[in-house]
Amino acid sequence: MAIKFANNASASLASGINSSVTTVTVTTGQGALFPALSGSDYFYATLVDSSNNLEIVKVTARTGDSMTVVRAQEGTTARAFVAGDKLELRPTAAALTDVS
């Protein structure tokens, strides 16, 4: 199991999600900006809306532009996001702890 990183990975959501969805799809071609995952690899990403509300998710699989996520990580709350909101690979406390 290894945490993965990428520089400046940011994408727009292709469609809206509710607070229980566990598959997030980004705009066509933008998934390639994020790390490739295999086995038990993962990375943390942050969902951000236009009002700067955010939710940290753990991405456990990525196929093209679709990502399987575990919602509400690091004390954040699962919430709804709309098409065009952002998914960004940002440093998080858990990510930094996991590499040490």
Side-chain angles (χ1 to χ4, degrees):
M1 173 166 60
I3 188 165
K4 301 293 182 178
F5 295 93
N7 290 324
N8 305 313
S10 178
S12 298
L13 297 185
S15 58
I17 59 171
N18 64 31
S19 62
S20 62
V21 166
T22 58
T23 300
V24 175
T25 303
V26 296
T27 303
T28 303
Q30 292 184 336
L33 300 171
F34 294 85
L37 301 176
S38 64
S40 58
D41 292 345
Y42 64 95
F43 62 88
Y44 292 98
T46 304
L47 289 160
V48 185
D49 69 15
S50 61
S51 297
N52 279 330
N53 295 304
L54 60 86
E55 176 188 348
I56 297 172
V57 297
K58 184 177 185 178
V59 180
T60 58
R62 181 180 70 79
T63 303
D65 299 318
S66 295
M67 301 179 209
T68 303
V69 300
V70 180
R71 304 290 302 266
Q73 298 294 291
E74 300 189 54
T76 62
T77 301
R79 55 185 305 118
F81 292 88
V82 300
D85 285 346
K86 295 291 186 183
L87 178 73
E88 299 177 334
L89 200 159
R90 298 178 174 185
T92 70
L96 295 173
T97 299
D98 290 357
V99 295
S100 60

